């Protein structure tokens, strides 16, 4: 075996060992590396209820309620399997909307209401002009209307 | 090796590569200026407004190409470092060193523009999620490489130490790339993906690709220019370098 082939093998071997080591470390730290817990994970008891943590998911459509007197808002965050009600006092980011993703930091309060200290909007990876979004939304509504018509009759 | 059509090792000699780099340099420089010019014009005036983010989204036209380049340049540096360690070629380490400042620059741009985008869109400049943190580690790797190679006087030892650092750090690249899939992160998933159709309007996509190509051309031009300086500096005592200087062609 030539010297350079030895060096190449040594390098490849070293990188493979390093890669496996890192993979093992990351797998072991899986829980700590996630930035937030989903409502399902909270329902499964994975979130630390005695200290501050983050919850992330979609703001349920129709759940956002603003207090008349101050900046307090309440809404429900969902991952379409489980729901977590959230209460927050403060200014919401521009992209915060019903049906959109968000991440809140805070503690689980009394009655299972999450008391948020900070709310961030989580953006998705869709980029399109407003006309296209409107067309898609229209198509979606027509589609679901058709679905409703189709399913309501035989039932 | 001599049976190959092109003898690649010929180009690993600085005496051969120096004039070649000089001839290629203006082409890449002009391409970079033209593409980035077109790309910036399209970013500001041609690409449509986003349905949700309004005008603020336009920052991705520099953010995403910069982030791609920051990862890709590191992979290229790792390639040169491995080549240098295995074949003991002089030029490899010089190429890696020539690329490092550009890589660090793009990493910094990606982080900085990301913060500017994050403040209005997410509501925060910075969070310690997996994507942002691993990209910050990449910046430290670049800076560590530059510091390490310039701290060691003996160039052969500096090259070897730098190459090892780059190769150890290369595990960070898949972590950055897949962080948004492996863990819950505040950072969104990738818009442009090899495994699915991209979730972006065509005009926006083309604008981003033109900007990315422009950044490629810029990177190549900057690296070629830098590697020429490194070659001259390191080989200042060799015949070819002194001849060039004497002829006023350096």
């Amino acid at each position: 075996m030539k010297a350079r082939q030895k060096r190449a093998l040594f390098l490849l071997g070293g990188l493979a060992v390093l890669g496996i080591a890192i993979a093992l470390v990351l797998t072991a730290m899986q829980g700590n590396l996630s930035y937030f817990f989903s409502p399902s994970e909270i329902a499964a008891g994975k979130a630390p209820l005695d200290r501050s943590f983050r919850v992330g998911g979609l703001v349920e459509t129709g759940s956002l309620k603003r207090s008349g007197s101050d900046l307090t808002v309440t809404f429900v965050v969902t991952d379409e399997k489980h729901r977590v009600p959230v209460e927050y006092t403060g200014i919401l980011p521009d992209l915060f909307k019903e049906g959109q993703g968000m991440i809140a930091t805070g503690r689980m309060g009394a009655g299972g209401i999450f008391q948020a200290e900070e709310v961030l909007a989580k953006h998705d990876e869709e980029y399109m002009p407003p006309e296209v979004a409107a067309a898609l939304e229209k198509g979606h509504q027509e589609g679901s209307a058709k679905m409703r018509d189709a399913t309501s009759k035989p039932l | 090796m001599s049976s190959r059509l092109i003898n690649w090792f010929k180009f690993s000699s600085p005496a051969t590569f120096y004039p070649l780099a000089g001839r290629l340099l203006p082409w890449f420089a002009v391409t970079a200026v033209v593409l980035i010019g077109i790309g910036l014009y399209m970013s500001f005036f041609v690409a449509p407004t986003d349905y949700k983010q309004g005008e603020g989204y336009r920052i991705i036209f520099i953010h995403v190409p910069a982030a791609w380049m920051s990862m890709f340049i590191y992979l290229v540096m790792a390639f040169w470092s491995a080549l240098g360690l295995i074949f003991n070629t002089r030029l490899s380490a010089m190429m890696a060193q020539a690329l490092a400042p550009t890589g660090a620059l793009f990493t910094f741009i990606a982080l900085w523009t990301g913060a500017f985008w994050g403040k209005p869109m997410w509501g925060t400049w910075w969070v310690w999620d997996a994507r942002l943190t691993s990209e910050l580690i990449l910046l430290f790797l670049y800076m560590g490489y530059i510091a390490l190679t310039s701290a060691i006087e003996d160039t052969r030892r500096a090259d070897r130490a730098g190459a090892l650092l780059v190769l150890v750090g290369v595990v960070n690249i898949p972590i950055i790339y897949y962080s948004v899939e492996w863990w819950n992160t505040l950072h969104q998933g990738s818009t442009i993906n090899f495994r699915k159709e991209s979730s972006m309007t065509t005009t926006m996509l083309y604008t981003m690709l033109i900007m990315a190509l422009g950044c490629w051309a810029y990177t190549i031009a900057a690296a070629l220019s830098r590697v020429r300086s490194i070659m001259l500096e390191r080989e200042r005592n060799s015949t070819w370098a002194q001849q060039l200087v004497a002829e006023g062609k350096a």
Side-chain angles (χ1 to χ4, degrees):
Chain A
M1 198 188 281
K2 283 184 200 160
R4 66 160 175 266
Q5 285 169 327
K6 254 185 199 162
R7 286 197 295 267
L9 266 181
F10 188 72
L11 262 187
L12 278 179
L15 274 182
V17 170
L18 187 74
I20 293 168
I22 298 281
L24 287 175
V25 169
L26 290 180
T27 319
M29 289 167 53
Q30 188 72 24
N32 296 333
L33 284 167
S34 275
Y35 192 66
F36 58 85
F37 293 95
S38 67
S40 292
E41 283 167 336
I42 294 172
K46 284 184 186 157
L49 296 180
D50 52 337
R51 54 190 170 87
S52 181
F53 67 96
R54 295 186 195 87
V55 57
L58 293 176
V59 182
E60 196 172 71
T61 310
S63 73
L64 182 66
K65 286 185 190 71
R66 288 170 199 278
S67 145
S69 51
D70 59 0
L71 286 172
T72 302
V73 289
T74 59
F75 53 89
V76 172
V77 49
T78 171
D79 57 1
E80 274 147 16
K81 290 185 198 80
H82 291 87
R83 310 161 76 243
V84 173
V86 179
E87 193 176 274
Y88 172 66
T89 306
I91 296 165
L92 293 167
D94 287 357
L95 283 187
F96 184 94
K97 278 194 187 79
E98 291 183 345
Q100 291 297 316
M102 72 96 234
I103 294 173
T105 313
R107 285 162 179 280
M108 201 47 109
I113 297 173
F114 189 83
Q115 300 292 329
E117 291 142 22
E118 187 189 32
V119 171
L120 301 178
K122 181 166 159 59
H123 183 57
D124 58 25
E125 60 269 28
E126 307 275 333
Y127 295 85
M128 57 181 121
E131 309 86 76
V132 177
L136 276 181
E137 180 59 24
K138 195 162 161 270
H140 179 72
Q141 277 168 1
E142 277 169 6
S144 38
K146 268 183 204 146
M147 284 265 289
R148 242 191 342 265
D149 295 345
T151 47
S152 58
K153 273 168 204 163
L155 287 169
Chain B
M1 288 292 160
S2 54
S3 60
R4 302 271 169 83
L5 237 55
I6 303 171
N7 183 6
W8 291 104
F9 279 89
K10 198 179 97 183
F11 293 103
S12 69
S13 143
T16 327
F17 190 66
Y18 185 89
L20 177 69
R23 278 201 303 279
L24 292 174
L25 178 56
W27 294 99
F28 283 107
V30 169
T31 312
V33 170
V34 169
L35 284 178
I36 292 180
I38 297 172
L40 281 178
Y41 177 79
M42 287 178 73
S43 310
F44 283 110
F45 303 109
V46 180
T49 311
D50 184 60
Y51 73 123
K52 222 183 292 166
Q53 307 176 55
E55 305 296 341
Y57 92 95
R58 290 177 198 277
I59 211 160
I60 62 159
F61 293 129
I62 183 68
H63 175 78
V64 174
W68 281 344
M69 289 317 291
S70 71
M71 291 188 280
F72 184 71
I73 290 174
Y74 198 91
L75 287 180
V76 176
M77 277 174 65
F79 166 77
W80 286 118
S81 297
L83 221 59
L85 282 180
I86 294 166
F87 294 104
N88 274 331
T89 40
R90 276 178 297 167
L91 195 55
S92 309
M94 300 190 206
M95 287 301 280
Q97 266 180 35
L99 283 163
T102 310
L105 174 75
F106 276 122
T107 315
F108 181 78
I109 292 176
L111 289 167
W112 198 254
T113 53
F116 275 147
W117 182 87
K119 188 59 186 169
M121 302 303 171
W122 291 338
T124 180
W125 299 102
W126 181 265
V127 289
W128 292 100
D129 81 349
R131 170 55 75 78
L132 277 66
T133 311
S134 54
E135 181 77 6
L136 184 66
I137 291 173
L138 181 66
L139 180 64
F140 292 155
L141 279 170
Y142 277 121
M143 296 199 306
Y145 173 81
I146 295 169
L148 183 68
T149 47
S150 45
I152 303 175
E153 199 94 353
D154 176 7
T155 47
R156 283 187 70 88
R157 285 186 56 213
D159 290 349
R160 291 177 67 87
L164 275 178
L165 175 68
V166 170
L167 284 172
V168 168
V170 83
V171 290
N172 190 34
I173 299 296
I175 296 180
I176 300 176
Y177 189 79
Y178 290 108
S179 55
V180 291
E181 291 178 24
W182 289 345
W183 304 293
N184 291 338
T185 53
L186 178 60
H187 196 286
Q188 61 267 32
S190 40
T191 299
I192 293 160
N193 205 312
F194 299 115
R195 282 157 293 161
K196 64 177 174 72
E197 215 178 316
S198 64
S199 41
M200 193 178 218
T201 297
T202 323
T203 330
M204 294 181 186
L205 185 66
Y206 282 139
T207 309
M208 202 143 95
L209 291 181
I210 289 171
M211 284 297 284
L213 286 176
C215 289
W216 269 64
Y218 165 76
T219 305
I220 296 172
L224 284 179
S225 156
R226 218 175 275 124
V227 84
R228 271 164 65 90
S229 307
I230 297 173
M231 280 191 278
L232 264 195
E233 194 190 340
R234 285 201 183 179
E235 311 258 319
R236 58 186 174 274
N237 295 325
S238 67
T239 334
W240 71 267
Q242 295 196 337
Q243 212 167 1
L244 274 179
V245 175
E247 288 167 12
K249 284 180 188 164

